[in-house]
């Protein structure tokens, strides 16, 4: 009887401790599972330290293929630059924001401003 109680007193806390350590490791290092209620949340500032519009390719769109990317350029009256991995880039002499607004008003596929972001200063 004493051996069973001794095993119970040692094994149960050890198993609970291993579960807690495993849970902590999975969440902390792999981002898997819910957080412990007492873990502090880290606040990350959401601003970008430096952000500018690429002058050579100020607009981009997500497209299925290069043919669709070229059709978007014709609709907007802008210059198609490149297509790679579902992202097409475009050049225009106009203000990129005005081009995007014109496309929204006419129901064209969505264009986005092509920002270059530098996160090294954070």
């Amino acid at each position: 009887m004493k051996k069973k109680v001794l095993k119970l007193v040692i094994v149960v806390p050890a198993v609970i401790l291993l579960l807690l350590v495993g849970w902590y490791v999975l969440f902390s290092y792999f981002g898997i599972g819910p957080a412990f209620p007492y873990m502090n949340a880290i606040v990350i500032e959401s601003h970008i330290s430096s952000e500018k519009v690429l002058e050579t390719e100020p607009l981009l769109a997500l497209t299925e293929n290069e043919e669709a990317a070229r059709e978007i350029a014709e609709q907007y009256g802008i210059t198609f630059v490149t297509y790679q991995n579902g992202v097409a880039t475009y050049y225009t002499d106009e203000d990129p924001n005005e081009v995007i607004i014109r496309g929204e008003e006419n129901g064209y596929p969505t264009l986005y401003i092509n920002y270059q972001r530098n996160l090294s200063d954070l």
Side-chain angles (χ1 to χ4, degrees):
M1 180 77 174
K2 287 184 179 181
K3 288 184 179 182
K4 286 185 180 181
V5 172
L6 185 60
K7 285 182 183 178
L8 189 65
V9 168
I10 293 174
V11 171
V12 170
V15 169
I16 291 173
L17 182 64
L18 286 173
L19 287 173
L20 290 174
V21 168
W23 186 10
Y24 176 79
V25 168
L26 283 174
F27 180 77
S28 298
Y29 295 103
F30 303 110
I32 300 170
F36 289 113
Y38 61 84
M39 290 182 74
N40 292 331
I42 298 172
V43 177
I44 298 174
E45 294 183 29
S46 63
H47 74 280
I48 304 298
S49 62
S50 65
E51 179 176 89
K52 65 179 183 177
V53 178
L54 287 176
E55 293 179 14
T56 57
E57 303 167 5
L59 294 168
L60 63 87
L62 305 176
T63 63
E64 295 286 326
N65 52 44
E66 188 172 333
E67 183 180 319
R70 292 183 185 278
E71 289 175 7
I72 291 172
E74 289 177 19
Q75 285 179 328
Y76 277 92
I78 57 179
T79 306
F80 170 77
V81 179
T82 62
Y83 173 81
Q84 185 176 11
N85 298 327
V87 178
T89 58
Y90 304 95
Y91 174 78
T92 182
D93 290 327
E94 299 176 63
D95 178 18
N97 291 312
E98 291 178 9
V99 174
I100 291 171
I101 291 170
R102 183 176 68 232
E104 289 174 353
E105 290 172 352
N106 293 323
Y108 297 158
T110 305
L111 287 180
Y112 304 95
I113 295 180
N114 192 7
Y115 290 110
Q116 178 181 10
R117 295 178 172 102
N118 184 1
L119 300 175
S120 63
D121 297 336
L122 289 178

